[in-house]
Amino acid sequence: MNALAATNRNFKLASRLLGLDSKLEQCLLIPFREIKVECTIPKDDGSLATFIGFRVQHDNARGPMKGGIRYHPEVDPDEVNALAQLMTWKTAVANIPYGGAKGGIGCSPSDLSISELERLTRVFTQKIHDLIGVHTDVPAPDMGTNPQTMAWILDEYSKFHGYSPAVVTGKPIDLGGSLGRDAATGRGVLFAAEALLRDHGKSIAGQRFVVQGFGNVGSWAAQLITEQGGKIVAVSDITGAIKNKNGIDIASLLKHVKENRGVKGFHGADSIDPNSILVEDCDVLIPAALGGVINRDNAKDIKAKYIVEAANHPTDPEADEILAKKGVVILPDIYANSGGVTVSYFEWVQNIQGFMWDEERVNTELKAYMNRGFKDVKDMCKTHNCDLRMGAFTLGVNRVARATTLRGWEA
């Protein structure tokens, strides 16, 4: 089941639990706008290359639409649609005044030079500049993009609309980015895991963690979990996978990754088959890479007691059912990885006010939002007698449905 089908399925289940009528259901499901643009750029060798860019603006009932822009070869309309819809529910679960959007360009960033990436980003911005905006749609970094990408978008957008730092989040600090934004998704994963374990009478300290994906989110989560006394026993990234049952020295691993561009060859752990990372023995599994990695083929072999979804849609619905029967508790992506969009919201607020916060305030506010979000999800679980995924979906869908109804849009 692809990401869009799985997201639609979860929405329909939540809608049924909430008793929404079909007219409102359809209103919530259909995207506000879908954009597809052709981006042709001169390459460094003088040849022309054409790439297809997408922006799906899903819903703006609760505020401006919000969502990342990813540069990846497998970017397609279905994936972007699914992620835009997930952002609508995620911002509602976090209870921040945004709707959902997502964008992307089908390309391999590693095959493009810095100047080619800049030209591509600027052309894409030229094609969509009149459809995004501070109070309309606010992009952010995602897979394959970073603060530099946001700086190019900000600069190109400002040529048409004047200097508008709040038009994108995840910017460099020097251009109005927020302190704490780089670590925000990983820190949110830590706070989410803390809330989940606390609910089960445990703490981070003494638990064994496996982190699949050691990019920005996975590496920050691993670092912060280690600081709280958790033990990271296995890690993987695109270069390979490593394991040390006594715990990996994350500080040394971060240094190794910086020097060698991957975890492969790290001397403080044994190399293992990357395909086995999800089924390694641990207490908490953190998938922090691509979607659909936990499926019906490997779900039965997963040994973790808890799964904290740091990636978007890492668990297929078939795997959900298998894991539920095994008693595995899954903390869903639309809550667990909402730290990034929450601090993006803080950045947007700071830009609009022209008043920047210190990092301690950012992290304190993030922890308050994550703890409140977990309590709200748990309350919905009790109300509808459902698991955490449906608790999060019913919470998000209900908030968007109420805003839609109050605005008179469902007629």
Side-chain angles (χ1 to χ4, degrees):
M1 190 181 290
N2 70 19
L4 184 59
T7 305
N8 286 345
R9 174 185 178 275
N10 286 328
F11 167 79
K12 295 272 189 187
L13 289 170
S15 174
R16 216 165 293 150
L17 281 172
L18 291 164
L20 303 184
D21 67 48
S22 58
K23 201 185 290 185
L24 178 55
E25 194 176 273
Q26 189 178 27
C27 183
L28 294 175
L29 206 51
I30 296 171
F32 171 77
R33 184 188 284 134
E34 294 182 50
I35 304 146
K36 181 179 179 182
V37 295
E38 184 183 274
C39 302
T40 301
I41 60 162
K43 296 196 76 180
D44 293 345
D45 62 8
S47 64
L48 292 177
T50 297
F51 304 89
I52 304 299
F54 302 95
R55 186 72 178 169
V56 174
Q57 298 172 329
H58 181 257
D59 191 277
N60 61 352
R62 298 182 71 255
M65 291 165 285
K66 186 87 187 79
I69 292 176
R70 57 174 50 187
Y71 290 0
H72 193 271
E74 292 172 21
V75 166
D76 65 56
D78 270 7
E79 181 194 48
V80 178
N81 249 302
L83 294 171
Q85 188 191 140
L86 278 175
M87 281 301 298
T88 297
W89 317 134
K90 186 185 296 184
T91 53
V93 168
N95 208 14
I96 52 181
Y98 282 145
K102 206 74 175 186
I105 299 177
C107 68
S108 294
S110 58
D111 295 341
L112 299 172
S113 69
I114 293 292
S115 58
E116 287 168 343
L117 283 168
E118 179 177 353
R119 288 195 286 274
L120 179 58
T121 302
R122 289 184 183 276
V123 168
F124 182 54
T125 308
Q126 289 164 18
K127 297 288 178 86
I128 67 167
H129 76 88
D130 54 347
L131 300 170
I132 62 173
V134 174
H135 300 292
T136 311
D137 178 4
V138 184
D142 201 291
M143 192 184 299
T145 58
N146 55 31
Q148 178 61 74
T149 319
M150 297 305 107
W152 292 328
I153 294 174
L154 165 60
D155 183 65
E156 198 63 30
Y157 179 86
S158 297
K159 290 176 184 176
F160 297 94
H161 302 276
Y163 184 57
S164 311
V167 75
V168 289
T169 58
K171 300 179 294 294
I173 301 295
D174 293 337
L175 289 176
S178 177
L179 293 169
R181 175 62 186 88
D182 188 44
T185 310
R187 193 178 296 277
V189 169
L190 166 74
F191 293 150
E194 274 182 337
L196 176 67
L197 291 168
R198 189 165 56 243
D199 191 54
H200 286 81
K202 303 177 191 296
S203 67
I204 295 287
Q207 301 296 310
R208 297 166 303 139
F209 293 78
V210 165
V211 180
Q212 186 241 0
F214 205 67
N216 172 274
V217 179
S219 61
W220 271 110
Q223 188 178 333
L224 295 166
I225 285 165
T226 302
E227 288 172 11
Q228 296 298 316
K231 189 188 289 186
I232 310 294
V233 294
V235 166
S236 74
D237 67 7
I238 200 164
T239 66
I242 55 171
K243 173 184 176 182
N244 183 340
K245 66 178 183 182
N246 297 316
I248 295 167
D249 182 339
I250 296 298
S252 298
L253 179 59
L254 287 165
K255 189 165 177 277
H256 172 87
V257 168
K258 192 173 181 183
E259 292 168 357
N260 299 277
R261 298 192 171 188
V263 303
K264 188 178 180 183
F266 179 63
H267 294 305
D270 299 321
S271 178
I272 58 171
D273 179 359
N275 294 321
S276 74
I277 189 79
L278 296 165
V279 298
E280 288 295 330
D281 187 27
C282 65
D283 300 306
V284 184
L285 172 62
I286 301 179
L290 290 168
V293 293
I294 300 174
N295 49 51
R296 63 183 172 195
D297 296 328
N298 59 16
K300 62 184 183 301
D301 299 318
I302 284 175
K303 299 175 184 69
K305 303 176 190 74
Y306 307 96
I307 296 174
V308 179
E309 294 186 335
N312 285 319
H313 177 61
T315 312
D316 280 352
E318 298 96 323
D320 254 346
E321 290 175 17
I322 294 165
L323 291 164
K325 285 174 187 165
K326 289 177 64 174
V328 178
V329 178
I330 302 174
L331 199 56
D333 51 357
I334 61 170
Y335 163 71
N337 68 24
S338 63
V341 72
T342 302
V343 175
S344 275
Y345 163 61
F346 299 161
E347 181 179 332
W348 180 75
V349 167
Q350 292 169 75
N351 292 156
I352 288 171
Q353 292 181 333
F355 180 79
M356 306 310 284
W357 303 353
D358 61 33
E359 190 166 354
E360 186 182 357
R361 179 176 177 186
V362 171
N363 294 340
T364 301
E365 294 280 358
L366 174 59
K367 186 168 189 174
Y369 269 78
M370 295 301 295
N371 285 342
R372 192 159 52 237
F374 185 78
K375 181 187 177 299
D376 292 346
V377 169
K378 285 291 291 185
D379 287 347
M380 289 302 267
C381 290
K382 287 172 189 163
T383 300
H384 297 287
N385 191 26
C386 59
D387 63 13
L388 288 165
R389 189 179 307 285
M390 274 303 106
F393 264 88
T394 52
L395 176 64
V397 171
N398 189 48
R399 281 177 173 162
V400 179
R402 281 164 58 189
T404 302
T405 304
L406 287 166
R407 293 179 77 149
W409 289 359
E410 87 287 2

